[in-house]
Amino acid sequence: MQKNSFYILYAAVALAVIGMVHFLLLLIPAPFPVIALVAFAAVIGAYTLFRKMERKILLVNTVSVWPGIVLLLALLYLAITGANDAPVTGAWDAWAIWNYAARYLGKPENWKQLFQNITNAHSDYPLNQPSVISFFWKLCGHEYKTVPFLYSLLMTLFIPALLFFELYRKGAIIALIALFIIVGNSFYLDKGLWQYADTTIAFYFLCILVCLYHAAKSQNPVWMAMSAFMMACCVWTKNEGILIALVSALFYSREILKKQNLLPFFLTLFIALVPWLILKLCFAPGNDLVEGQKDQSFTRAFELGRHAIVAKYFFKELWEEQRTMVYVFIIYCLSCLLKHKMLSKQVLIILVVVAGTWFVYIFTPRFLEWHVSVTIDRMFQEWMLAMLFAIFTDLFRDKKERLSGSIYASSTLVEIVH
Amino acid sequence: MQPKYFFIAFILIIIVAAVSFGFKAPSDRQKEMELIGYTMEGSYPYFPATGAGFFAPKEDDAILQETRFAIVPRHIEPVKNIDDGLVILMIWRHTINDSLLQRHISRHVVLWEGKDSVFSYYLVKQR
């Protein structure tokens, strides 16, 4: 793995840890100076842990200067364009859900009232993003609009950076193509700066796939622990994170159930899920989509009309906003066909997640057409970056593999020596 | 590219974006609202109780006392629990037809109205 990727993963962990500590200490309730001290101690602790892990895995730094500069220019372009075009207060759900929850978490005396707003308020949504934003609002001493904007921007910039560094092993050109696919899609930046949690979960979804890829390749339990943490972050970010984590774990169950991986995976997963478990078991009201189900709801699965409505908006969105990805996917499928091989495990994970979401729509107790039409664009934001990573990882061979055998042959050797 | 150089440059990019965002000029909608003595910032990002069923914090909610503005999204209901303050009605146009909209709006003195692709906004005062 590239060193830069490794530190981006650290940033992902550090941000999530801040949110988790903030939420857990609100339960006591601890005064904010104590929360800040513990949060920073946890961030430093995570850094120490990462430095220790660094010695157990093979990190390389092969990114040349010029491709690196192109990446930075692309990120600068996204940042400047984003700052100019982003709605100051985010889009609707940023007001009504994510920043709304953050503002409640900023009031230690009455934050639990957040969960008394039941009708249409989505108070059961996980609190990763609100908790981090609320923490930095408190740290600044004021609810600056810049804080949620910066959080969204960080997530929006981390994704192309992580993709670039992770695909760099395929060659600079491949990494740059992936970068330009993202930067060239204005949809990505628009949605990224709405201040919704969709880009956050897209980032953690990508982190899961990156960690699982290295876990499978290197057989190092460190990667399994990291994968578990990223899965917990997905769950702690949005409800659909449960689906993402479950499907990912299911596809990699053979690796997870290996003796050396079992404890690191489940221990990390359990610890990182504690805030989410407390939220769901002690505070959150029932989910509107689950509670709205009736006895005869299962018959919806066989209503062709409902599938037609979902298909209409799904393919419309796919064609209008994700056309490049459609071409990439077709090329990938043709390549698999020519090579007589199956789609990769990671691509299948995403397809199963898409299928799962499709059925969430089918079973929705809400007005279906409205539900699909106002949310499907955000779903693509969650899936497409992971899909780009999964396809490019399988479509192109590692540069070092092409030149001198598998890099992971040598990396495993280094890990064994360590 | 060394990680330290990458992350230094990355942090500089974030600072540039933050400064650029901080000095951003207000949108036309914000300007219009400021003209009539109301700023979105005044209540951002919190919308207190409206009685319309969307948010229902308790009367003693400290946040509720901060502002008398409210947003009534998704559907329109007679606005309750707001003394005689100004109220923003934010109506999700997917879920309401025009005649129903007009009937509800007529209960209020409309001071300003605006639209975007999804919502209609009305700044109203209760009759």
Side-chain angles (χ1 to χ4, degrees), chain A residues 179-190:
Chain A
L179 180 67
F180 288 126
I181 288 176
I182 300 175
V183 176
N185 186 356
S186 59
F187 173 92
Y188 172 70
L189 185 61
D190 284 350

Side-chain angles (χ1 to χ4, degrees), chain B:
Chain B
M1 173 172 275
Q2 290 291 330
K4 63 181 171 190
Y5 297 130
F6 171 74
F7 281 100
I8 288 169
F10 188 85
I11 290 166
L12 286 176
I13 288 172
I14 295 291
I15 291 170
V16 168
V19 172
S20 174
F21 183 81
F23 286 105
K24 200 170 164 171
S27 66
D28 288 345
R29 187 190 302 155
Q30 284 172 294
K31 282 182 198 162
E32 277 184 296
M33 298 185 91
E34 280 161 12
L35 282 177
I36 52 173
Y38 175 80
T39 61
M40 289 298 270
E41 282 81 1
S43 64
Y44 169 79
Y46 184 78
F47 313 114
T50 62
F54 189 71
F55 305 132
K58 288 183 175 172
E59 287 291 325
D60 60 353
D61 183 346
I63 306 171
L64 179 63
Q65 291 158 17
E66 287 180 15
T67 172
R68 291 187 297 177
F69 297 114
I71 298 270
V72 185
R74 298 175 197 243
H75 54 84
I76 306 175
E77 297 268 341
V79 180
K80 293 179 279 191
N81 300 339
I82 309 284
D83 303 333
D84 54 352
L86 296 174
V87 173
I88 290 275
L89 293 177
M90 190 171 188
I91 296 124
W92 204 320
R93 280 190 269 116
H94 287 281
T95 56
I96 195 149
N97 61 45
D98 284 346
S99 60
L100 192 61
L101 185 82
Q102 289 309 322
R103 203 169 71 226
H104 283 286
I105 288 296
S106 65
R107 296 181 188 179
H108 308 283
V109 178
V110 178
L111 299 172
W112 171 87
E113 61 179 278
K115 278 181 182 162
D116 64 20
S117 59
V118 184
F119 299 105
S120 294
Y121 305 89
Y122 298 89
L123 183 63
V124 299
K125 195 168 150 183
Q126 292 207 82
R127 286 186 192 280

Side-chain angles (χ1 to χ4, degrees), chain A residues 103-104 107-114, chain B residues 60-63:
Chain A
R103 195 156 180 207
Y104 263 105
K107 314 266 177 188
E109 67 280 5
N110 58 9
W111 68 273
K112 289 176 191 167
Q113 285 184 20
L114 169 65
Chain B
D60 60 353
D61 183 346
I63 306 171

Side-chain angles (χ1 to χ4, degrees), chain A residues 149-161:
Chain A
F149 163 76
L150 281 183
Y151 182 85
S152 302
L153 185 70
L154 267 181
M155 295 296 147
T156 309
L157 298 190
F158 276 151
I159 289 172

Side-chain angles (χ1 to χ4, degrees), chain A residues 208-224 227 251-256 258 260-261 345-346 408 411-412 415:
Chain A
I208 290 178
L209 295 190
V210 167
C211 293
L212 285 174
Y213 172 83
H214 290 286
K217 281 275 188 180
S218 72
Q219 305 295 327
N220 191 328
V222 163
W223 287 116
M224 266 308 162
S227 311
F251 272 85
Y252 279 85
S253 51
R254 223 171 66 182
E255 286 84 356
I256 290 169
K258 280 181 183 167
Q260 76 270 21
N261 292 333
K345 200 190 270 191
Q346 298 208 331
Y408 278 97
S411 85
T412 311
E415 281 155 17

Side-chain angles (χ1 to χ4, degrees), chain A residues 162-395:
Chain A
L162 182 59
L163 258 172
F164 175 87
F165 288 125
E166 275 306 293
L167 293 176
Y168 200 85
R169 64 173 178 272
K170 312 284 178 189
I173 301 291
I174 305 297
L176 287 170
I177 290 172
L179 180 67
F180 288 126
I181 288 176
I182 300 175
V183 176
N185 186 356
S186 59
F187 173 92
Y188 172 70
L189 185 61
D190 284 350
K191 298 289 172 289
L193 297 170
W194 275 10
Q195 302 178 16
Y196 289 8
D198 302 283
T199 310
T200 308
I201 202 172
F203 175 53
Y204 284 110
F205 191 8
L206 179 62
C207 291
I208 290 178
L209 295 190
V210 167
C211 293
L212 285 174
Y213 172 83
H214 290 286
K217 281 275 188 180
S218 72
Q219 305 295 327
N220 191 328
V222 163
W223 287 116
M224 266 308 162
M226 290 268 281
S227 311
F229 191 88
M230 297 307 176
M231 284 178 196
C233 289
C234 262
V235 173
W236 175 231
T237 301
K238 283 196 85 183
N239 284 336
E240 51 261 45
I242 301 170
L243 178 66
I244 291 172
L246 276 177
V247 175
S248 308
L250 198 69
F251 272 85
Y252 279 85
S253 51
R254 223 171 66 182
E255 286 84 356
I256 290 169
L257 294 175
K258 280 181 183 167
K259 200 178 167 189
Q260 76 270 21
N261 292 333
L262 213 54
L263 186 67
F265 181 85
F266 283 104
L267 189 65
T268 312
L269 187 68
F270 176 73
I271 292 171
L273 276 181
V274 166
W276 178 80
L277 285 169
I278 292 175
L279 171 75
K280 288 291 180 182
L281 295 176
C282 305
F283 297 105
N287 180 267
D288 54 338
L289 299 185
V290 176
E291 295 205 326
Q293 300 302 322
K294 294 170 188 157
D295 289 343
Q296 67 276 24
S297 293
F298 76 94
T299 57
R300 288 176 179 156
F302 307 105
E303 290 176 25
L304 289 179
R306 292 180 76 82
H307 286 281
I309 290 171
V310 178
K312 178 182 143 193
Y313 286 98
F314 181 91
F315 289 109
K316 183 171 173 278
E317 187 69 27
L318 190 64
W319 187 244
E320 286 179 358
E321 302 291 353
Q322 307 290 345
R323 202 169 297 180
T324 314
M325 280 305 298
V326 173
Y327 296 137
V328 169
F329 187 72
I330 291 171
I331 291 169
Y332 174 65
C333 290
L334 286 175
S335 144
C336 288
L337 208 65
L338 290 173
K339 291 177 188 167
H340 299 290
K341 61 174 231 174
M342 268 290 288
L343 302 180
S344 82
K345 200 190 270 191
Q346 298 208 331
V347 171
L348 288 175
I349 287 176
I350 300 159
L351 292 179
V352 172
V353 168
V354 172
T357 310
W358 183 290
F359 276 93
V360 170
Y361 283 130
I362 294 298
F363 287 109
T364 182
R366 293 176 178 274
F367 175 50
L368 177 62
E369 190 148 7
W370 165 80
H371 191 176
V372 187
S373 66
V374 298
T375 55
I376 192 74
D377 53 350
R378 290 179 263 149
M379 294 294 114
F380 278 104
Q381 179 84 340
E382 294 178 14
W383 304 324
M384 282 305 153
L385 293 314
M387 184 60 102
L388 190 61
F389 171 77
I391 289 179
F392 272 44
T393 300
D394 196 42
L395 195 58

